[in-house]
């Protein structure tokens, strides 16, 4: 992540690894899907679980769904002692998948084609039910992501959000004053859930920068849901009374989806003047965090999507 090279430019033409597809089925690849509190304690007493293993469990308790790339990055940029750091933590994950502490997932498009097409899916991990219970008691994480989430579109949204978070930490880690999940809140008949919130302090700006980040996947009815979400975000911001500059960022699957979201917003009189920034999963991966931001504006009969030079490190 960072500066685009020739190989990175080719990456920009690829589909998002978190692309929503019709008739997707969530498949767990574990042979052992559960591990009890007592079994975890027994493995711990026998020293079968290391400090690195518990750091991985803590990451999954915090972020819910992570790929191996995510886990490798967070551990090596986090508080893990230098003596424990390594390039890849796949062996630790495999051990805990076998023991039922971690579940390994992929998506397929038809159940009867499971063995034929599962190799093309991104692999990602989640804690088993017993591990969630165990880690929740130990680290006392307060997050709505501990809910049992199974629908493909929400899983893909969370994976894309975690990918964005990784890119932002990589480019602006020391500038992030606060990072939090926006908790659900009742506003009228709707439950608010804007996904991620960041407060950023930077020498190039005099006022605090507040970022509300949401992810959109192209499941049926997503355009209607997107407009509802923009209304909710607008109401949330009006209620928050935050001091400084407030920006809304939408994570998208592709440039084509950005165009659709822009046009549907412009056709809604109540929302067409709301400023929105965009990025795609791939652009975020190549450029990282705020370096991947784009804005849309009309030009003659065309729509221009411009890459913004936002903040230096």
């Amino acid at each position: 992540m960072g500066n685009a090279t020739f190989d990175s430019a080719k990456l920009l033409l690829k589909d998002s690894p978190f692309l929503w597809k019709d008739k997707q089925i969530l498949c767990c690849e574990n042979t052992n899907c559960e591990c009890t509190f007592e079994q975890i304690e027994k493995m711990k007493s026998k020293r079968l679980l290391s400090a690195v293993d518990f750091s991985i469990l803590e990451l999954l308790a915090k972020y819910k769904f992570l790929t191996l790339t995510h886990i490798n990055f967070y551990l090596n940029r986090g508080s893990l002692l230098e003596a424990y750091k390594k390039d890849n933590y796949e062996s630790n994950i495999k051990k805990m998948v076998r023991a039922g502490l971690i579940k390994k997932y992929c998506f397929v498009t038809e159940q009867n084609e499971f063995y034929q097409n599962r190799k093309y899916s991104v692999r990602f991990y989640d804690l088993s039910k017993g591990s969630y219970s165990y880690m929740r008691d130990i680290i006392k994480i307060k997050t709505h992501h501990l809910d049992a989430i199974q629908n493909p579109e929400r899983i893909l949204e969370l994976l894309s959000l975690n990918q964005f978070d990784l890119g932002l930490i990589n480019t602006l880690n020391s500038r992030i004053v606060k990072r939090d999940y926006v908790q659900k809140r009742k506003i009228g008949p709707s439950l608010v859930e804007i996904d991620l919130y960041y407060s950023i302090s930077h020498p190039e700006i005099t006022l605090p920068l507040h970022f509300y980040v949401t992810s959109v996947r192209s499941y049926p009815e997503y355009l209607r849901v997107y407009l509802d979400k923009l209304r909710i975000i607008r109401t949330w911001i009006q209620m928050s009374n935050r001091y400084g500059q407030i920006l809304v960022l939408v994570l998208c699957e592709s440039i084509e989806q950005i165009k659709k979201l822009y046009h549907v917003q412009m056709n809604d009189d109540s929302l067409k003047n709301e400023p929105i920034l965009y990025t795609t999963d791939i652009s975020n991966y190549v450029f990282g965090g705020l370096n991947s931001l784009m804005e849309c504006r009309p030009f003659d009969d065309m729509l221009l999507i411009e890459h913004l030079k936002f903040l230096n490190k």
Side-chain angles (χ1 to χ4, degrees), residues 119-130:
K119 66 181 179 180
Y120 301 112
S121 168
V122 64
R123 293 307 196 278
F124 53 95
Y125 303 92
D126 185 17
L127 293 184
S128 66
K129 198 171 184 180

Side-chain angles (χ1 to χ4, degrees), residues 99-148:
L101 279 79
I102 292 175
K103 288 186 176 182
K104 181 180 181 182
Y105 288 106
C106 68
F107 284 115
V108 294
T109 53
E110 293 290 349
Q111 187 121 29
N112 59 1
E113 296 177 8
F114 177 68
Y115 293 104
Q116 285 72 34
N117 64 16
R118 66 174 180 164
K119 66 181 179 180
Y120 301 112
S121 168
V122 64
R123 293 307 196 278
F124 53 95
Y125 303 92
D126 185 17
L127 293 184
S128 66
K129 198 171 184 180
S131 293
Y132 262 128
S133 177
Y134 188 90
M135 295 306 296
R136 186 168 51 222
D137 291 342
I138 290 177
I139 59 179
K140 309 208 182 305
I141 285 180
K142 299 170 83 173
T143 166
H144 64 275
H145 289 195
L146 295 180
D147 295 341

